[in-house]
Amino acid sequence: MYATSGKNPTFGQNSLNLKSISFFILFFAVIGLSAQKQQPEGGRQINIVYGANFTKDEAQFPGASIFSKDDERQVQFEHQGADLWCDIAIFYTEENRLKAIGNIRLQQGDSIEMNSGKMDYDGNTKLAKAWEKVDLTNGQMRLTTDTLYFNREKQEAYYNSGGKVVDSANVLTSKVGTYFMTPKKYQFQRNVHIDNPDYIIDSEQLDYYTTSKNAYMYGPSTITGEEYKIYCERGFYDTKIEQGYGIKNTRIDYDNKIIEGDSLYFDKVTEFASATNNIQITDTINNGVIRAHYAEVHKAKDSVFATKRAVSISLVEKDSLYMHGDTLMVTGKEEERILRAFRNAKFYKTDLSGKCDSIHFEEKTGITQLITDPILWNVDNQITGDSIHLISDLETDKLDSLKVIENAFIISLDTISRTGYNQAKGKNLFGKFIENELKIIDLVQNTEVIYYVYNDDEELVGIDKTICSKIRLLMANNDIEDITFFVNPDGDIFPETDLPVESRKLKGFVWRGDERIMSKEEIFDEDDNNIELVKIRGIDNPIDIDAEENERQNNTNDPINAPNTKATKPKKPVLKKKAQTR
């Protein structure tokens, strides 16, 4: 009850009269009753925190209440843990939805903030559509796009018209993107691009975890760094320390080498790459290839290590030379390469093959050493000795000469009789290649020969058995054409009937024709051909990436949980906020 003096009371110059007050009290009571009556189950009703100025426009917005900011505050609503501020709100109470216009800010908890020019929000489904200069931040990253859909029920936000994400490490863009708030993960699709000062990533689909900065790639993806390029169709990459792997159609261009395999691993900091299963490493400078089922590349040491059916393939006189060992190692810079094949070493080319315990090739000297129980086949000629050296011409890379040191022995099956063997032995052997064919063979010190002599009609004349200080064999079509004896030769050509069979072999004779390597496949033994390949995780069966990421973050040995060598504590992005008054 107000005291009156015959006039309506006033409350100052800008005060509302009692009629106006009564109207607003009645309006908000009706709104409250209506909201209570229409409130969806589970308390999903959007609540008005501050309505400011109120009006209605049934012609344009039938059934809606229109609120607009005043001089002090913006309009504010609250809904299940989220607050929304805007300049104008068109609120459909019965439908439990609203349209927000102008300087919109949606705040969910202490982490998620979304700003836009316009927004539609449905309180029943908790779906928001925001457009006009949309940005979403969570304290660690900022997403900007033209239109963003925010599903608060699933805690997901997505765009399909292009967007950009900026965090402390990277700038990421894509045509389509979804942000999953619980694992703090983005799923980017179509024209995905990551821009980093040290590298760029392009992909068709990429999952990115904002906390760890880890990226999981699907579909054709390329990572291009200053000194490397990686391609894969499924893979992982730690964007902070430039470390990762690919497990489908993967290729790394690294240190003048192309590395391909079922599974490849790369680490920039340690300058290391490794590969597993069906590997091929191509040396782009020397045109050499290494194949294996496990390999490592150490950039700082200019080295390649390969095992499990490892083979080196190089071009020699338009013919491929295949070299195998249980382990292969290639070290050294360009033109100083050293190739080693350890244990059970073998090699093959069309007219030359051999095996020994280990092979050592040095590019600088052009010398290939066959070490420990070596045997060499030059077409049909079997050559053995304590140590065998093949020497290449450094200018032309053609085979130049041959050295057999200690206990040199050369044997070939007599091609006419097919029963006897031509033989020559000495302390050392020196051979000369002309146009890649062994043409001259010199045997020196304590030399002996057994040779089957035929006339022009291929009739056996006799068997030459001679000893002397030096023998020269001239070869034609990989067969002995002429023999020259030096310094007091002692011997004769014996009729076949006068030379017993047991005297037709020199001391130390061992024919190993059944061991001769006749094709590139024969450099591998049974163990090589029956290697059980490692099962690559994720190729045949999909990986639960969220579970793997959680496992990584809980693994104290994983690089994401340890200080990296590239940077100190990551800087938080500078997040621009719109000024708000409450």
Side-chain angles (χ1 to χ4, degrees):
M1 177 71 64
Y2 294 98
T4 65
S5 58
K7 296 181 181 179
N8 291 330
T10 58
F11 297 90
Q13 186 176 358
N14 296 321
S15 298
L16 295 173
N17 57 34
L18 286 174
K19 186 176 179 180
S20 298
I21 293 173
S22 298
F23 171 79
F24 278 107
I25 292 172
L26 178 61
F27 168 76
F28 283 111
V30 170
I31 289 291
L33 289 172
S34 175
Q36 183 177 11
K37 180 179 179 180
Q38 300 294 331
Q39 184 173 357
E41 294 181 5
R44 289 183 175 271
Q45 182 64 39
I46 299 172
N47 299 312
I48 304 169
V49 177
Y50 186 73
N53 299 315
F54 165 78
T55 187
K56 292 179 73 69
D57 186 344
E58 289 295 331
Q60 190 172 359
F61 305 107
S65 301
I66 303 172
F67 300 92
S68 59
K69 69 175 184 177
D70 57 23
D71 292 337
E72 297 181 3
R73 293 174 60 178
Q74 285 185 295
V75 179
Q76 181 181 353
F77 291 85
E78 182 277 331
H79 186 243
Q80 294 190 325
D83 289 282
L84 183 146
W85 292 266
C86 61
D87 292 345
I88 300 172
I90 303 168
F91 183 33
Y92 295 86
T93 309
E94 293 188 5
E95 298 175 24
N96 196 34
R97 64 183 179 88
L98 63 82
K99 292 180 177 289
I101 302 171
N103 296 310
I104 301 163
R105 178 163 66 97
L106 176 65
Q107 183 79 43
Q108 179 179 280
D110 296 328
S111 58
I112 300 298
E113 180 180 313
M114 182 167 68
N115 299 276
S116 66
K118 293 179 181 178
M119 181 187 294
D120 288 343
Y121 183 74
D122 189 322
N124 298 324
T125 60
K126 298 175 73 172
L127 291 174
K129 175 187 176 182
W131 66 101
E132 288 189 6
K133 298 182 180 179
V134 184
D135 72 72
L136 176 75
T137 62
N138 71 351
Q140 295 178 321
M141 63 83 204
R142 160 167 277 159
L143 161 66
T144 56
T145 183
D146 289 330
T147 303
L148 186 69
Y149 301 86
F150 182 9
N151 187 330
R152 294 191 57 238
E153 189 69 42
K154 294 183 178 180
Q155 288 296 288
E156 297 175 5
Y158 63 94
Y159 60 84
N160 53 28
S161 57
K164 179 171 75 172
V165 175
V166 180
D167 65 14
S168 59
N170 303 294
V171 177
L172 306 94
T173 59
S174 70
K175 183 68 175 177
V176 178
T178 303
Y179 177 53
F180 302 89
M181 298 178 187
T182 300
K184 294 185 178 180
K185 176 185 78 173
Y186 274 97
Q187 186 175 87
F188 298 104
Q189 294 175 301
R190 295 174 55 191
N191 303 327
V192 185
H193 182 81
I194 297 180
D195 202 343
N196 182 285
D198 298 319
Y199 58 86
I200 60 173
I201 300 178
D202 291 290
S203 178
E204 282 305 299
Q205 180 178 328
L206 183 146
D207 288 2
Y208 181 78
Y209 290 80
T210 61
T211 300
S212 64
K213 309 297 188 293
N214 287 339
Y216 294 82
M217 295 160 286
Y218 304 85
S221 305
T222 304
I223 306 169
T224 306
E226 184 177 349
E227 297 179 342
Y228 64 91
K229 184 176 182 179
I230 302 172
Y231 172 86
C232 70
E233 293 175 14
R234 187 180 299 173
F236 161 81
Y237 201 67
D238 185 328
T239 67
K240 302 189 310 302
I241 58 175
E242 296 180 69
Q243 177 192 88
Y245 62 78
I247 57 172
K248 184 178 181 183
N249 296 333
T250 308
R251 164 178 166 159
I252 302 177
D253 291 42
Y254 184 55
D255 191 28
N256 298 314
K257 297 176 182 65
I258 300 172
I259 310 168
E260 300 167 278
D262 289 355
S263 175
L264 301 184
Y265 170 83
F266 174 80
D267 187 346
K268 180 187 176 183
V269 173
T270 59
E271 298 184 310
F272 173 80
S274 66
T276 303
N277 293 357
N278 301 306
I279 302 155
Q280 178 166 301
I281 302 174
T282 304
D283 186 328
T284 58
I285 294 178
N286 295 284
N287 296 318
V289 172
I290 291 178
R291 293 175 182 159
H293 289 306
Y294 180 75
E296 297 178 355
V297 176
H298 301 263
K299 181 176 181 293
K301 298 178 181 179
D302 271 303
S303 70
V304 175
F305 166 91
T307 187
K308 294 187 177 180
R309 209 175 188 271
V311 58
S312 166
I313 307 168
S314 55
L315 191 65
V316 177
E317 278 294 290
K318 298 181 180 180
D319 192 8
S320 294
L321 172 64
Y322 297 83
M323 188 178 298
H324 163 70
D326 291 348
T327 300
L328 292 182
M329 287 188 66
V330 182
T331 58
K333 299 182 182 298
E334 181 184 354
E335 297 182 356
E336 296 182 3
R337 296 277 196 271
I338 295 175
L339 170 63
R340 301 177 178 91
F342 297 103
R343 294 180 296 280
N344 195 28
K346 299 176 184 177
F347 69 92
Y348 170 82
K349 64 189 289 287
T350 304
D351 57 355
L352 197 69
S353 63
K355 66 179 185 176
C356 55
D357 178 71
S358 59
I359 298 172
H360 184 284
F361 167 69
E362 187 170 355
E363 189 175 18
K364 190 173 183 179
T365 62
I367 297 175
T368 301
Q369 301 179 54
L370 311 184
I371 303 167
T372 308
D373 194 23
I375 181 168
L376 180 72
W377 289 276
N378 174 234
V379 189
D380 294 325
N381 299 303
Q382 173 186 296
I383 302 171
T384 56
D386 291 356
S387 181
I388 297 178
H389 295 179
L390 290 163
I391 299 97
S392 299
D393 187 298
L394 296 178
E395 296 295 326
T396 64
D397 289 329
K398 295 179 180 180
L399 279 174
D400 177 77
S401 54
L402 166 70
K403 289 183 181 180
V404 182
I405 312 301
E406 299 292 335
N407 298 309
F409 209 130
I410 178 169
I411 307 171
S412 65
L413 180 67
D414 176 26
T415 57
I416 297 176
S417 71
R418 308 299 295 178
T419 57
Y421 295 89
N422 295 314
Q423 307 154 57
K425 62 179 289 189
K427 182 178 181 181
N428 301 316
L429 180 153
F430 302 96
K432 178 68 176 178
F433 289 91
I434 299 174
E435 294 301 320
N436 207 43
E437 185 177 343
L438 187 59
K439 289 288 190 180
I440 303 171
I441 297 175
D442 287 330
L443 284 149
V444 297
Q445 296 187 37
N446 304 321
T447 60
E448 300 179 58
V449 165
I450 291 179
Y451 180 67
Y452 287 71
V453 181
Y454 291 87
N455 60 24
D456 293 340
D457 295 326
E458 294 189 349
E459 296 172 339
L460 182 64
V461 175
I463 301 172
D464 189 338
K465 188 172 183 180
T466 303
I467 61 174
C468 63
S469 296
K470 178 182 177 182
I471 301 171
R472 169 165 287 187
L473 308 177
L474 298 181
M475 311 292 288
N477 299 317
N478 298 299
D479 201 359
I480 298 174
E481 183 180 54
D482 186 56
I483 302 177
T484 303
F485 302 97
F486 297 89
V487 188
N488 302 320
D490 182 12
D492 203 348
I493 297 176
F494 297 91
E496 184 178 15
T497 55
D498 292 351
L499 189 64
V501 173
E502 60 270 18
S503 299
R504 298 178 190 179
K505 293 181 181 178
L506 299 175
K507 184 179 180 180
F509 173 93
V510 178
W511 177 245
R512 298 166 64 181
D514 59 340
E515 299 178 38
R516 180 180 169 187
I517 301 167
M518 303 292 289
S519 68
K520 62 184 180 182
E521 287 78 18
E522 291 184 11
I523 62 176
F524 303 109
D525 59 24
E526 186 176 354
D527 290 340
D528 294 319
N529 293 326
N530 291 310
I531 288 176
E532 186 174 346
L533 299 185
V534 175
K535 188 173 182 179
I536 305 300
R537 183 184 177 207
I539 287 184
D540 297 324
N541 301 307
I543 299 174
D544 185 341
I545 299 300
D546 289 342
E548 180 169 295
E549 183 66 13
N550 184 62
E551 180 182 328
R552 286 180 185 279
Q553 295 188 36
N554 292 327
N555 179 8
T556 56
N557 294 320
D558 195 280
I560 69 169
N561 299 311
N564 62 69
T565 58
K566 285 182 57 179
T568 57
K569 183 178 179 181
K571 297 179 180 180
K572 291 184 177 181
V574 179
L575 303 179
K576 180 180 178 182
K577 292 187 177 182
K578 297 180 180 179
Q580 302 289 344
T581 57
R582 305 189 194 181

